Amino acid sequence: MHLCQYISADEEAAKMKESGKKICMTTPLVEMDGDEMTRILWKIIKEELLLPFIDLKTEYYDLGLENRDKTNDQVTVDSAEATKKYGVAVKCATITPNAARVEEYNLKEMWKSPNGTIRAMLDGTVFRTPIVVKGIEPCVRNWKEPITIARHAYGDVYKNAEMRIPGPGKVELVYTPADGSAPQSVVVHTFDGPGIAQGIHNLDESIFSYARSCFTYALAEKKDLWFSTKDTISKTYDHRFKDIFAELYEKEYKEAFEAAGIEYFYTLIDDAVARIMKSRGGFIWATKNYDGDVMSDMISSANGSLAMMTSVLVSPKGYYEYEAAHGTVQRHYYKHLKGERTSTNSVATIFAWTGALRKRGELDAIPELQAFADKLEEATLSTIESGKMTGDLALITSLPDPVSLSSEDFIKAIRQKLESLLAE
Ligand code: NAP
Ligand code: MG
């Protein structure tokens, strides 16, 4: 019973509307505020699209750069701890400081990326999904449903050791066991002349936890999970990834997948790429670190705009942190500060909120909250489909005569749609 004072869901929705009652929440969402233009959007989204309809319960953490600096970045750590406690977070885009930002904000230190800190603390995997809407067609015609991509974010070429080989000689991989037993080695190559060599590694533990996040998320989304490596060529290294996924699936997830009517599908990376171009979408594609780095850029650009891409960090323990895939849109923020009109796309940030609210509703059994998240997404998409959108979409839409609205007017147009959907 979550519509304050009422008893059952369906009738109550109507009563709620009549009486102006708001949807109640039981557990707070962890709210991570952020920087620049997305911080501006964050406030408008809350005021226009959330607070009038939900008795919003959040535990607020200000991850804006000024407060991170003030707290010596403790606030980022605290927000990740809170996510472990409550299970669901929603995050605004934040600045990752570089030298220019250190000067601009007069920072004590070049603080680390908040996303990196949170990901390390939750041991999570990032899943990115394009938001599909009529009028913004993906370049690949047959993609009717979004393809979610996951990237393993540890090791391989990103933590390599590499060297230039100046001339003839032998390069070996040597493992020296910590227990003092005999070392093992393999010859990488015997060089006749100059060249290059590198050593890469990964950890069973990291691969297991990645696999766990992927299976968990596939079950939560009720979508098929694909995984691909180059195990035919890399018979030990990539094969280990394949084996770990297979082992975990058989032991812990197979039954649940079958019960949910979804499939775990392993295939060679080349085959995955070829199939994906011909597919209709609608599944999760788990990739190794490098494949995910490259392929996530392909998927997002094929879908039109980074502003139409959501991102969720899923921990192997089942904690969820939702955000937009884009950054703080700095260029628009400087225009905003000068008092100029901006037309910044708030869709991915709205979907971060709906993702988090829906998950909260699911975990706490509040169907009204889940239904509200659905309605807010529907209102957002149908606003675009009616021709009202932000400038970035107006440039690429196939709809005739799009109207390009300001950042604020776009959110207000969604509010209107939402009111009429909720009144139905
Ligand atoms: P960005 O914020 O993603 O924006 C890059 C450009 O993409 C914008 O200038 C804009 O193009 C377009 N764009 C992105 N999001 C848009 C939206 N919602 N609506 C309309 N256009 C949008 O990347 P950035 O400017 O390189 O980075 C700014 C800051 O964001 C950096 O300090 C970086 O550290 C941070 N960042 C944070 C996250 C995160 O928290 N997850 C992720 C990436 C970057 P036009 O200028 O052509 O309109
Ligand atoms: Mg990349």
Side-chain angles (χ1 to χ4, degrees), residues 215-234:
F215 290 128
T216 301
Y217 192 59
L219 280 171
E221 293 292 297
K222 298 210 171 30
K223 284 181 177 172
D224 290 347
L225 176 68
W226 294 23
F227 180 50
S228 51
T229 74
K230 191 75 179 172
D231 66 288
T232 48
I233 298 295
S234 173

Side-chain angles (χ1 to χ4, degrees), residues 231-249:
D231 66 288
T232 48
I233 298 295
S234 173
K235 291 188 169 69
T236 303
Y237 195 104
D238 276 24
H239 214 288
R240 186 74 192 129
F241 280 81
K242 178 182 176 181
D243 290 345
I244 286 176
F245 267 71
E247 180 189 327
L248 196 62
Y249 177 69

Side-chain angles (χ1 to χ4, degrees), residues 113-166:
S113 149
N115 286 24
T117 302
I118 296 166
R119 190 169 64 209
M121 285 183 64
L122 300 184
D123 185 24
T125 294
V126 173
F127 295 83
R128 286 178 152 205
T129 309
I131 298 160
V132 174
V133 57
K134 277 190 216 99
I136 316 289
E137 275 77 30
C139 302
V140 182
R141 264 175 300 142
N142 41 283
W143 288 358
K144 299 299 178 205
E145 286 177 56
I147 295 168
T148 298
I149 186 155
R151 170 182 171 187
H152 182 217
Y154 179 82
D156 300 355
V157 70
Y158 303 88
K159 267 205 189 310
N160 68 357
E162 51 184 17
M163 51 164 95
R164 286 226 5 216
I165 307 302

Side-chain angles (χ1 to χ4, degrees), residues 186-290:
V186 292
V187 174
V188 175
H189 190 66
T190 305
F191 287 80
D192 294 330
I196 42 182
Q198 76 171 336
I200 59 171
H201 79 280
N202 224 298
L203 305 172
D204 281 10
E205 191 189 5
S206 174
I207 303 166
F208 267 112
S209 97
Y210 175 53
R212 215 175 272 288
S213 295
C214 292
F215 290 128
T216 301
Y217 192 59
L219 280 171
E221 293 292 297
K222 298 210 171 30
K223 284 181 177 172
D224 290 347
L225 176 68
W226 294 23
F227 180 50
S228 51
T229 74
K230 191 75 179 172
D231 66 288
T232 48
I233 298 295
S234 173
K235 291 188 169 69
T236 303
Y237 195 104
D238 276 24
H239 214 288
R240 186 74 192 129
F241 280 81
K242 178 182 176 181
D243 290 345
I244 286 176
F245 267 71
E247 180 189 327
L248 196 62
Y249 177 69
E250 285 298 325
K251 270 197 198 146
E252 293 184 31
Y253 292 95
K254 192 170 181 208
E255 268 175 42
F257 267 56
E258 282 169 3
I262 57 174
E263 193 191 355
Y264 168 60
F265 174 58
Y266 176 84
T267 187
L268 203 60
I269 179 81
D270 329 35
D271 182 50
V273 169
R275 282 172 189 256
I276 278 164
M277 297 313 280
K278 299 253 164 87
S279 79
R280 68 184 311 281
F283 51 87
I284 298 164
W285 183 20
T287 58
K288 286 183 62 210
N289 209 348
Y290 177 80

Side-chain angles (χ1 to χ4, degrees), residues 91 93-96 101 115 307 323 326-329 331-332 345:
K91 180 179 169 289
T94 46
I95 293 170
T96 297
R101 298 297 201 166
N115 286 24
E323 67 167 341
H326 60 77
T328 60
V329 213
R331 200 182 66 83
H332 294 207
N345 189 334

Side-chain angles (χ1 to χ4, degrees), residues 15 99 159 166 203 244 268 272 274-275 300 305 310 315 333 377 387 405:
K15 282 192 197 159
K159 267 205 189 310
L203 305 172
I244 286 176
L268 203 60
R275 282 172 189 256
S300 69
S305 162
T310 59
S315 87
Y333 181 60
E377 289 184 359
L405 298 177

Side-chain angles (χ1 to χ4, degrees), residues 293-294 296-297:
D293 182 355
V294 177
S296 66
D297 287 335

